[in-house]
């Protein structure tokens, strides 16, 4: 593995999210941007000398856009003054200590010592981090603001939760209650060792009405069937089912993408749900134009392995217009597009929440359940 390191000097600092700062840094006479995660490197200050990981920006990769601060003068004297014994980013130069919710010294330890089963509770499985916003908003709107939503973030994409300004905005709006970071992901309200214990924490510690599981920002792919991080949606389906939950899988849906493999239902979703997800999931298909619905049903029906899942067609009656307006108000984007430009992507999230409510017995008169695919 190759890493490009460069030295720089911090010119100015502004907040990016809780736990992260955006720094303007002078590098060889040029002004460039870098992110600094406080838990790893402290809080940079103007004038600080810093070391930067500049690899992704230099290569022009999607994980670029900003350099990453790896060391700061102000952060070099950080001390271990908190609890916990679990290391994340283990055996790397940036490994750091967190208090895992499952640890013996954790105030949340007791629920993890008891027998656990989700008892049929629905778990909404994301294929993209951007789906988190319409899911949280839909839960808020469809329950009159009564829903407690917990986001269980996997380590399949970005590892630091503070990279997600979206999660912070959702909490500020009151649409998202708690966050749990699992595996090597870090920065959530609760830290857990595995995805399975993360789901347990969401149910037992956070007492979530809606558990939403999926990646942080970003994705990596190679243009091959199995070489992309979107496959982890199938793993979250398996984890939810293994714990006695009812996975509700949200497909990546778009009619705006010019790439054939992402038109209609993305091949990422078809592979994750048809190949990797060995447990049955509920898949909601929203109200669409007739030709769009025909294409989506054809794609789902012809894909390998999809017969194990249960398809739900969700009719009219969902607050699509209000959801789109509120998403546009907070500047939401998915794959660079506004909510108004991809109503099908928003509708897919609304439909999934409606299915989750239906499974819980809260009622949804606009549901039709035609059986299998």
């Amino acid at each position: 593995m190759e890493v490009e390191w460069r030295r720089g000097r911090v010119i100015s600092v502004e907040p990016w999210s809780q736990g992260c700062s955006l720094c303007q840094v002078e590098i060889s006479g040029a002004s460039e941007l870098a992110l600094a995660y406080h838990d790893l490197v402290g809080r940079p200050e103007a004038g600080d000398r810093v070391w930067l990981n500049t690899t992704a920006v230099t290569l022009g990769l999607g994980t670029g856009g900003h350099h990453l601060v790896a060391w700061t003068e102000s952060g070099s004297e950080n001390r271990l003054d908190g609890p916990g014994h679990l290391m994340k980013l283990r055996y790397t130069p940036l490994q750091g200590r967190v208090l895992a919710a499952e640890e013996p010294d954790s105030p949340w330890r007791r629920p993890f010592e008891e027998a656990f089963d989700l008892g049929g509770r629905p778990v909404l499985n994301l294929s993209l981090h951007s789906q988190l916003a319409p899911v949280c908003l839909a839960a808020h709107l469809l329950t009159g603001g009564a829903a407690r939503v917990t986001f269980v973030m996997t380590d399949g994409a970005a590892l630091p939760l503070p990279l997600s300004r979206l999660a912070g905005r959702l909490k500020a709006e009151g649409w998202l209650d708690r966050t749990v970071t699992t595996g090597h992901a870090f920065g959530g309200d609760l830290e857990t060792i595995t995805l399975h214990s993360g789901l347990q924490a969401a149910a037992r510690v956070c007492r979530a009405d809606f558990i939403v599981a999926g990646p942080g920002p970003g994705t990596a792919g190679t243009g091959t069937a199995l070489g992309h991080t979107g496959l982890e949606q199938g793993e979250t389906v398996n984890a939810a089912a293994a714990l006695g939950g009812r996975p509700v899988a949200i497909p990546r849906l778009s009619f705006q993408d010019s790439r054939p493999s992402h038109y209609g239902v993305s091949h990422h979703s078809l592979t994750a749900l048809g190949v990797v997800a060995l447990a049955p999931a509920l898949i909601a298909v929203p109200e669409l134009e007739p030709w769009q619905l025909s294409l989506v049903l054809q794609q789902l029906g012809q894909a390998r392995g999809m017969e194990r899942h249960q398809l739900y067609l969700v009719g009219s009656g969902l607050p699509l217009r209000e959801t789109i307006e509120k998403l546009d108000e907070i500047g939401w984007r998915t794959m660079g597009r506004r909510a108004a430009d991809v109503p099908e992507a928003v509708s897919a999230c609304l439909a999934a929440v409606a299915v989750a409510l239906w499974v819980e017995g809260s009622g949804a008169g606009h549901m039709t359940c035609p059986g299998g695919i």
Side-chain angles (χ1 to χ4, degrees), residues 20 33 60 82 98 125 135 189 198 209 228 231 246 280 320 331 338 350:
C20 182
L33 297 175
V98 300
N125 303 97
V135 165
D189 297 315
D209 298 308
H228 60 84
L231 283 187
R246 294 290 299 275
L320 178 59
R338 299 167 56 248
L350 272 167

Side-chain angles (χ1 to χ4, degrees), residues 35-60:
L35 293 174
Y37 299 110
H38 303 161
D39 287 345
L40 295 181
V41 299
R43 296 176 180 269
E45 300 175 357
D48 276 350
R49 298 290 178 179
V50 294
W51 277 99
L52 304 161
N53 182 328
T54 59
T55 311
V57 175
T58 297
L59 294 175

Side-chain angles (χ1 to χ4, degrees), residues 236-304:
T236 60
V237 166
N238 293 336
L243 296 178
R246 294 290 299 275
V248 180
I250 308 174
R252 178 174 166 180
L253 194 61
S254 174
F255 295 99
Q256 312 303 320
D257 201 312
S258 60
R259 295 171 293 179
S261 60
H262 292 294
Y263 193 80
V265 183
S266 169
H267 74 107
H268 287 176
S269 294
L270 295 175
T271 305
L273 299 176
V275 177
V276 179
L278 302 179
L282 311 180
I283 302 176
V285 177
E287 184 181 27
L288 300 167
E289 295 293 332
W291 68 269
Q292 295 175 336
L293 180 61
S294 177
L295 174 61
V296 167
L297 294 179
Q298 179 183 16
Q299 290 174 315
L300 292 173
Q302 293 179 351
R304 166 188 169 187

Side-chain angles (χ1 to χ4, degrees), residues 151-159 180-185 195 213-216 232 236:
F151 174 45
V152 179
M153 186 174 123
T154 66
D155 58 7
L159 298 181
V180 179
T181 36
T182 69
H184 284 283
L195 169 60
E232 73 155 20
T236 60

Side-chain angles (χ1 to χ4, degrees), residues 9-13 23-24 43-49 73-74:
R9 181 180 64 84
V10 177
I11 302 171
S12 62
V13 180
C23 306
Q24 187 178 11
R43 296 176 180 269
E45 300 175 357
D48 276 350
R49 298 290 178 179
E73 289 181 353
S74 62

Side-chain angles (χ1 to χ4, degrees), residues 144-206:
R148 293 188 303 270
V149 181
T150 295
F151 174 45
V152 179
M153 186 174 123
T154 66
D155 58 7
L159 298 181
L161 180 69
L163 178 63
S164 174
R165 288 186 290 183
L166 178 63
R169 182 63 186 270
L170 296 177
K171 292 182 76 172
E173 294 287 344
W175 304 340
L176 175 62
D177 184 52
R178 306 287 294 278
T179 58
V180 179
T181 36
T182 69
H184 284 283
F186 63 92
D189 297 315
L190 293 175
E191 304 278 3
T192 62
I193 299 176
T194 68
L195 169 60
H196 298 75
S197 58
L199 295 173
Q200 188 176 15
R204 286 286 178 84
V205 180
C206 302

Side-chain angles (χ1 to χ4, degrees), residues 304-334:
R304 166 188 169 187
M306 297 298 290
E307 66 277 357
R308 72 175 62 95
H309 303 303
Q310 186 80 18
L311 180 66
Y312 282 74
L313 302 180
V314 182
S316 61
L318 297 179
L320 178 59
R321 178 177 296 180
E322 183 180 3
T323 304
I324 287 175
E325 290 175 352
K326 289 184 177 295
L327 289 174
D328 282 341
E329 285 175 6
I330 67 170
W332 178 80
R333 298 287 187 275
T334 182

